[in-house]
Amino acid sequence: MCDTLPIQVVAGLGNPGKAYEQTRHNVGFMVIDDWAQHQDWKWKRSFRFRGEWSRATWMEREMFLIKPHTFMNASGTSLVALLRYFKLEPQQVLCIYDDITLPFGRLKVSVGGGHGGHNGIRDVQDKLGNEFTRLRVGIGAKPTHELDLKDWVLSPFQRAEIDQLKKQFEFYRNSIERILREGSVLAMNTINQKTE
């Protein structure tokens, strides 16, 4: 299904602006920023695509990176604009985003499935359908039942958590590239079993 076309769009989901930097909901931005930095790819702001984007070549494949600036709950708007402009298909999209159901730092690859209550993915599904690949980054469950979910995902990472994430970034980069190289289905067999 999803591996019939090569992935050419990698989207990191998050919220724009200083106030949201290094919050749990922005781990998608953090992971894609790290990958772009290691490839020396530069971000450009785009009114057309409602976000920051980069056009680059990876292993002789044309790639498009996108960070929607529509705020999380309207992430699909940015992706639709990019796909339509470059005549690409939803199956060619990899979305990187936070997941409260995974232990902190863990990765999981999936294709299709539900949105799991994640409003950014809900919007992407509403606008693109369900055949895109997801790379979910664990941010851990709420520490207390009483804490509002919105307050949890919009809370900043602790210093120790930032340090731990930075140690994981190489694994995250390698995982993105494994998905691009092998396809989603093959890659998930390896990535989903690894803890670091």
Side-chain angles (χ1 to χ4, degrees):
M1 177 177 67
C2 195
D3 285 353
T4 55
L5 292 171
I7 288 174
Q8 288 184 258
V9 178
V10 180
L13 303 191
N15 288 308
K18 283 278 186 187
Y20 298 101
E21 286 181 3
Q22 298 194 334
T23 58
R24 298 173 195 281
H25 225 16
N26 271 37
V27 76
F29 276 10
M30 295 165 70
V31 171
I32 200 171
D33 275 338
D34 174 74
W35 188 47
Q37 181 181 353
H38 275 78
Q39 297 287 346
D40 200 29
W41 294 335
K42 306 303 181 189
W43 293 104
K44 298 169 286 188
R45 289 185 178 271
S46 170
F47 178 79
R48 180 192 297 274
F49 303 140
R50 307 275 303 272
E52 289 182 87
W53 75 297
S54 184
R55 187 176 190 172
T57 301
W58 181 84
M59 299 285 288
E60 300 183 355
R61 183 188 310 180
E62 186 174 37
M63 296 296 304
F64 303 91
L65 280 66
I66 183 82
K67 293 190 296 182
H69 280 194
T70 50
F71 288 92
M72 181 66 84
N73 294 1
S75 296
T77 302
S78 182
L79 282 167
V80 164
L82 185 98
L83 265 60
R84 284 179 178 165
Y85 187 78
F86 290 108
K87 297 180 172 57
L88 297 167
E89 299 295 328
Q91 297 97 319
Q92 295 178 274
V93 173
L94 169 65
C95 275
I96 307 170
Y97 63 99
D98 58 293
D99 191 327
I100 63 166
T101 69
L102 291 176
F104 177 80
R106 280 290 304 273
L107 283 188
K108 188 167 185 181
V109 183
S110 58
V111 182
H115 53 70
H118 192 288
N119 288 330
I121 291 300
R122 189 198 308 267
D123 191 66
V124 173
Q125 283 184 332
D126 287 347
K127 293 181 170 72
L128 296 188
N130 206 26
E131 294 188 6
F132 60 94
T133 299
R134 303 108 183 276
L135 183 61
R136 295 150 49 196
V137 184
I139 61 168
K142 297 187 300 178
T144 65
H145 179 72
E146 293 77 17
L147 182 63
D148 187 78
L149 179 59
K150 180 180 178 182
D151 291 337
W152 173 241
V153 299
L154 293 180
S155 67
F157 287 114
Q158 301 299 310
R159 182 72 257 169
E161 291 174 318
I162 294 289
D163 292 342
Q164 190 176 338
L165 278 176
K166 287 180 177 177
K167 292 176 182 175
Q168 289 281 82
F169 276 157
E170 182 179 4
F171 172 53
Y172 298 162
R173 293 194 302 270
N174 291 341
S175 297
I176 293 169
E177 293 177 5
R178 182 183 287 271
I179 294 167
L180 298 180
R181 191 170 57 247
E182 298 178 359
S184 308
V185 174
L186 273 179
M188 74 173 66
N189 293 332
T190 302
I191 295 168
N192 293 359
Q193 294 176 18
K194 290 190 175 181
T195 58
E196 58 181 21

